[in-house]
Amino acid sequence: MSLVLDPAAQDLLFREARTANTFTDEPVTDEQIQAIYDLVKFGPTAFNQSPLRVVLVRSAEGRERLVQHMAEGNRPKTATAPLVAILAADNEFHEELPALLPHFPQAKDLFFAERPVRESAAGLNAALQAAYFIIGVRAAGLAAGPMTGYDAVGIQKEFLDDDHTPLMVVNIGKPGEEAWFPRSPRLSYDEVIKTV
């Protein structure tokens, strides 16, 4: 059985998509980011919690502040990407649940009254949304360079607050020259999929 999605779209989103390490200087517009969000916001999360929060770093001053918290090998690409997004989990996402889950507003207090429970749920579901975000960037014809090599405490203090946990930094733009490392191997179907 084949997939319904057109093979060209499959290539764009998965097979040919790569983590970019260099970018052109073509800007990434607010309209592109709005279109990405308007697509990926429909991806499922538990209880429709939608805990992902995004900080777009556009200014030279913001970029300088961010680069100092990146691992050494990630600094040049973060310094030169047209747009950089800090993806974070909102540990107080439950405050939005009455609006996001109107048929079950009591879920806010019934399931998420305790902070450790919220942090666990926010981390898992925001990471899921981060994956949607990366696919959305690809759907916009852009390359994403997601990274977790950074000083998380520094980024949290510099750009977020105690209620938001950084998950990853994503460089976004059109791929530049020599943007790709060789593709790494993937596990086979039989190594991953088991039937019981």
Side-chain angles (χ1 to χ4, degrees):
M1 177 175 177
S2 63
L3 300 174
V4 173
L5 188 65
D6 179 79
Q10 295 173 40
D11 289 344
L12 177 70
L13 299 179
F14 293 100
R15 284 191 290 263
E16 299 299 326
R18 304 287 291 282
T19 295
N21 294 289
T22 67
F23 297 89
T24 69
D25 58 3
E26 182 178 330
V28 176
T29 67
D30 289 338
E31 292 77 18
Q32 286 172 301
I33 297 300
Q34 178 79 52
I36 291 165
Y37 176 71
D38 286 342
L39 175 65
V40 304
K41 69 183 179 184
F42 293 109
T45 57
F47 291 97
N48 197 33
Q49 18 185 290
S50 306
L52 181 70
R53 303 294 180 264
V54 181
V55 176
L56 298 176
V57 182
R58 286 196 181 278
S59 71
E61 180 267 337
R63 187 71 58 101
E64 187 175 310
R65 288 168 42 215
L66 177 59
V67 166
Q68 70 181 341
H69 297 292
M70 300 304 295
E72 188 66 36
N74 291 333
R75 289 178 180 178
K77 48 193 169 187
T78 302
T80 58
L83 180 64
V84 182
I86 301 168
L87 306 189
D90 181 359
N91 296 308
E92 297 299 309
F93 69 86
H94 69 308
E95 296 296 343
E96 305 294 336
L97 279 183
L100 292 173
L101 202 64
H103 62 281
F104 190 23
Q106 61 271 34
K108 172 188 172 191
D109 298 317
L110 189 60
F111 295 107
F112 302 109
E114 297 180 14
R115 175 71 180 234
V117 173
R118 289 197 306 273
E119 288 178 356
S120 177
L124 174 63
N125 287 278
L128 184 60
Q129 287 187 285
Y132 302 149
F133 182 85
I134 292 166
I135 300 301
V137 168
R138 293 172 175 180
L142 300 168
M147 301 169 294
T148 56
Y150 54 75
D151 171 12
V153 173
I155 286 179
Q156 184 177 36
K157 287 181 181 178
E158 193 81 36
F159 294 95
L160 304 167
D161 59 34
D162 291 341
D163 290 332
H164 294 80
T165 303
L167 297 173
M168 66 182 68
V169 172
V170 183
N171 296 324
I172 304 169
K174 292 284 188 181
E177 292 184 21
E178 300 180 14
W180 321 119
F181 294 148
R183 186 178 291 283
S184 298
R186 298 299 193 266
L187 295 174
S188 72
Y189 178 90
D190 292 332
E191 291 173 304
V192 175
I193 308 296
K194 303 295 180 198
T195 301
V196 295

